[in-house]
Amino acid sequence: MTVLFSYPGNEKLAALLVEKAGYDFGAMTVRHFPDGESFVKLEADVKDKDIILLCSLDRPDEKAMALMFFAQTARQLGAKSIELIAPYLGYMRQDKRFHEGEAVTSDVFAAFISRYFDSLITVDPHLHRHKAMNEIYTIPSKVIHAADAIADWIKDNVETPVLIGPDEESDQWVSDVAKRAEAPYIVLAKTRYGDKDVKISVPNVDNYRNHTPVLVDDIISTARTMIETVKHLKEAGMSPPVCIGVHAVFASDSYDALKASGVSRIITCNTIPHETNKIDISGLLIN
Amino acid sequence: MTVLFSYPGNEKLAALLVEKAGYDFGAMTVRHFPDGESFVKLEADVKDKDIILLCSLDRPDEKAMALMFFAQTARQLGAKSIELIAPYLGYMRQDKRFHEGEAVTSDVFAAFISRYFDSLITVDPHLHRHKAMNEIYTIPSKVIHAADAIADWIKDNVETPVLIGPDEESDQWVSDVAKRAEAPYIVLAKTRYGDKDVKISVPNVDNYRNHTPVLVDDIISTARTMIETVKHLKEAGMSPPVCIGVHAVFASDSYDALKASGVSRIITCNTIPHETNKIDISGLLIN
């Protein structure tokens, strides 16, 4: 018997997983005392059971202690196995000591998670210098890709799409989704003249004036790249784009800023709970 | 050579320790990215050095990841030993599973700290069911007591003091400080008639009308007990009290509430940086 616990805030995706996979549902109480300490309680029996904690790891610092308390308590109470489903996995960006004295947080955080959980499932982790999860995670991990789900959504919802990659780094990502969506794609050409002075051009823009531009990126965090791209598409005379992100991190007021930038729609996968979640990846999270 | 690093916010106490013990000072940068992740950098060389991190552990959740990043980075960069001075140690209160499914956070947090640091120094940890630190901390730990420093402050600053313990639980604490300060003490008698209905009386109040009441507690967090006690001293016709806490946790607006409750002074030890810090315990933290 598998029991799926939902870290507070992840209830919608938890309900889909419970419904589709037939897991038992286990609530998890997390309260914060006035002094800033956390209180954690498992509201279902775990003895001799395989259990899953569903917790998206955006804003990881505020969740990490509660996560550790959950896992150790489940272990003390006799859980047979403890899996973490982190549809969004934080701390994947600082994957190198760029300057002496810096913490390589991706590696240390991976060791932390690997210590408390037995296995991990995540969706499109931001792998860059590390090419595979097992370079930093010592527990078995399974990576789910949202590209098919995104491509299906585009096919169903966008007429005459042209996919747009904001920069060279996104080339592989965007070309992959474009192929699956059977749509053309453009990667914008970026030329830096200095820290603040970047010229962006849309190659072959005249071929795509009647297309709907679709911006795709893995993480929408500050949304700065996307907002910049929207501006340049507008300047090139293209229609207001559809913006798609796998992970709706949306740091501080970035969602409002992106909405105000002149987009037609903002769409994300339901890896981080957000009102833009339109692409359901729950089916992919079930073995 | 010992290098003392200061977690941001602990600079005043760090400067005292560096001055008194002759440590080298090492700055530590902690920045938070807009997406809620932490960036940590050690600003001094640690190779083959004994290092100390000074970090008071109030609001522990927001510091825990940075603490872990610091310690693991120091280790990777060749530090000989890594000591944590946590003048205030969080997560000492939930020391028992009161109800099935609850995390015993004191034990799990102790295991977490013990994993990343080699030794620990703290001031008056809130030991209750656990009688000694080594029941939960597996690394060598040293406990400093502030009672003498508090007693000295009272002798130097309060005329005709009478020490007040807010409840039976504080008896040992208060009687100890009273003895060292060569002052009388009263522990208030508390009678509960229900959750919200508690009658408190001041035993032998007539003997102490010309004394200055001095409230002493280890932690001032919500300050609710202290504010309640101030009220009852007032009702009993005593002078406005001096309130002394070892640890100035001061959750949310509790400091303002305590100031407004009719006290003459609020005094704390400098274990948690706060404007009430008047009792310096830095000398006690040095071997």
Side-chain angles (χ1 to χ4, degrees), chain A residues 256-275:
Chain A
D256 288 336
L258 182 57
K259 273 200 291 188
S261 71
V263 301
S264 80
R265 298 183 73 176
I266 302 169
I267 301 294
T268 61
C269 300
N270 56 348
T271 57
I272 299 174
H274 194 263
E275 63 179 75

Side-chain angles (χ1 to χ4, degrees), chain B residues 57-79:
Chain B
L57 284 174
D58 57 305
R59 286 90 185 160
D61 287 23
E62 59 191 62
K63 299 172 184 165
M65 288 295 98
L67 229 65
M68 173 181 82
F69 294 138
F70 173 91
Q72 287 299 82
T73 303
R75 213 169 287 284
Q76 289 163 5
L77 295 175

Side-chain angles (χ1 to χ4, degrees), chain B residues 220-250:
Chain B
I220 313 182
S221 179
T222 62
R224 252 177 281 166
T225 312
M226 233 175 218
I227 290 169
E228 192 70 13
T229 307
V230 171
K231 203 180 87 184
H232 287 285
L233 295 177
K234 198 175 177 182
E235 285 168 1
M238 296 190 81
S239 309
V242 176
C243 292
I244 304 180
V246 178
H247 303 296
V249 172
F250 287 122

Side-chain angles (χ1 to χ4, degrees), chain A residues 37-38 40 42 61 91 101 103, chain B residues 37-38 40 42 61 91 101 103 115:
Chain A
E37 299 186 0
S38 294
V40 169
L42 284 59
D61 287 23
Y91 280 117
Chain B
E37 298 186 0
S38 294
V40 169
L42 284 59
D61 287 23
Y91 281 117
R115 187 174 299 290

Side-chain angles (χ1 to χ4, degrees), chain A residues 32-42 45 57-62 64-66 68-69 72-73 76-77 88 90-94 97 99-105 108-109 112 115-116 221-222 224 249 251-252, chain B residues 32-42 45 57-62 64-66 68-69 72-73 76-77 88 90-94 97 99-105 108-109 112 115-116 221-222 224 249 251-252:
Chain A
H32 300 284
F33 290 110
D35 64 2
E37 299 186 0
S38 294
F39 168 90
V40 169
K41 186 164 177 238
L42 284 59
D45 187 35
L57 283 174
D58 56 307
R59 286 90 186 159
D61 287 23
E62 59 191 62
M65 287 295 98
M68 174 181 81
F69 294 139
Q72 287 299 82
T73 303
Q76 290 163 4
L77 295 176
Y88 175 71
Y91 280 117
M92 291 298 288
R93 301 203 210 190
Q94 177 103 16
R97 204 181 322 280
H99 302 97
E100 184 67 10
E102 285 181 5
V104 185
T105 55
V108 180
F109 189 76
F112 170 77
R115 189 175 296 289
Y116 293 102
S221 180
T222 61
R224 251 177 282 166
V249 172
S252 61
Chain B
H32 298 284
F33 290 110
D35 64 3
E37 298 186 0
S38 294
F39 168 90
V40 169
K41 185 165 177 238
L42 284 59
D45 186 35
L57 284 174
D58 57 305
R59 286 90 185 160
D61 287 23
E62 59 191 62
M65 288 295 98
M68 173 181 82
F69 294 138
Q72 287 299 82
T73 303
Q76 289 163 5
L77 295 175
Y88 174 72
Y91 281 117
M92 290 299 286
R93 301 203 209 191
Q94 176 103 15
R97 203 180 324 278
H99 303 97
E100 184 69 9
E102 285 181 5
V104 185
T105 57
V108 180
F109 189 76
F112 170 77
R115 187 174 299 290
Y116 293 102
S221 179
T222 62
R224 252 177 281 166
V249 172
S252 59

